[in-house]
Amino acid sequence: MDGIVVLISGRGSNMRSIVDAGLPVVAVVSNRADAAGLEYARSRGIPAEIVEHRAYASREAFDDALAAAIERYAPRLVAMAGFMRILTPSFVGRFSDRLMNVHPSLLPAFPGLHTHEAALAAGVKVHGATVHFATPALDHGPIVVQAAVPVLPGDDAGRLADRVLAQEHVIYPRAIRWFLAGRLAISGGVVHLAGAREAQYLFAPAEPVPE
Ligand code: GAR
């Protein structure tokens, strides 16, 4: 089975990029009933499920319910795409080496929330996005691919976020394709890409994305 279960919490634009890339998404699961991305999944005939974290008394109980919802689809990969929950070590262990995440920074810089504001405040000249295998630590784990995005004069967090997001939509489907083709190997915490020479990095053009 090549199926992917995508976990979302909101807008779901990364999920949409994965679906639109023709990748085999077998289900979308959200921890919020109001996640806008659910509607898109349904419109594409993809089962969209809600496992609301607020309905569970503990993190462990929520993670057990989430794992059960995922396992019904027996996916080969679980892809977190704007899934804003911290997961328990036992959940991460259950899906180890087949749980991916996209994060809007060049990890290990700027884990957590508000990455674009943090990048601007730090004055970095290059920001970006990372697709990585998940570990129990937040926004941490073996890096599959990164996209570097220049910080331009006059950027604010919104403009920077838009340009980073455009690159997330490029690198996440690419990472998943590599995974499904069996080309990713993790050794000593480092992801190696087998086969034809392709870069595990990408440099976004310095020009702003036209509005
Ligand atoms: C994306 O920028 C994603 O990288 C980020 O949330 C956004 C979700 O957008 N994820 C994280 O910050 C995880 N730590 P989307 O719902 O449109 O894909």
Side-chain angles (χ1 to χ4, degrees):
M1 274 291 288
D2 264 355
I4 308 158
V5 169
V6 182
L7 307 183
I8 66 169
S9 296
R11 179 177 56 183
S13 72
N14 275 289
M15 174 271 295
R16 189 171 175 147
S17 76
I18 295 165
V19 171
D20 291 353
L23 291 161
V25 177
V26 291
V28 172
V29 182
S30 172
N31 64 308
R32 298 179 59 107
D34 61 357
L38 290 168
E39 204 41 57
Y40 181 73
R42 291 192 188 105
S43 78
R44 296 293 305 259
I46 297 166
E49 297 202 19
I50 298 155
V51 182
E52 266 203 293
H53 62 273
R54 279 179 300 202
Y56 296 87
S58 67
R59 214 171 261 290
E60 288 71 23
F62 167 69
D63 279 11
D64 281 349
L66 180 65
I70 293 168
E71 276 169 353
R72 276 200 291 281
Y73 296 94
R76 183 153 160 215
L77 178 71
V78 180
M80 296 188 277
F83 185 67
M84 306 308 252
R85 294 291 302 168
I86 293 172
L87 295 164
T88 56
S90 107
F91 179 96
V92 176
R94 205 154 159 173
F95 297 102
S96 88
D97 296 350
R98 58 192 183 104
L99 180 63
M100 271 190 194
N101 184 40
V102 64
H103 181 73
S105 78
L106 291 176
L107 292 173
F110 312 125
L113 297 174
H114 311 302
T115 58
H116 310 298
E117 287 86 346
L120 289 171
V124 298
K125 308 309 173 205
V126 180
H127 184 39
T130 302
V131 175
H132 64 97
F133 287 103
T135 67
L138 178 68
D139 300 324
H140 170 270
I143 291 169
V144 179
V145 58
Q146 290 186 304
V149 175
V151 179
L152 302 176
D155 263 349
D156 60 21
R159 290 171 63 87
L160 190 52
D162 287 349
R163 293 207 315 285
V164 169
L165 189 66
Q167 302 309 316
E168 295 180 38
H169 296 163
V170 176
I171 61 175
Y172 211 177
R174 191 173 296 182
I176 291 174
R177 216 175 278 118
W178 289 339
F179 177 87
L180 294 180
R183 292 178 61 193
L184 300 180
I186 308 173
S187 88
V190 174
V191 180
H192 300 279
L193 173 65
R197 284 178 74 89
E198 265 180 279
Q200 285 172 271
Y201 56 83
L202 173 159
F203 297 109
E207 296 79 38
V209 174
E211 297 185 2

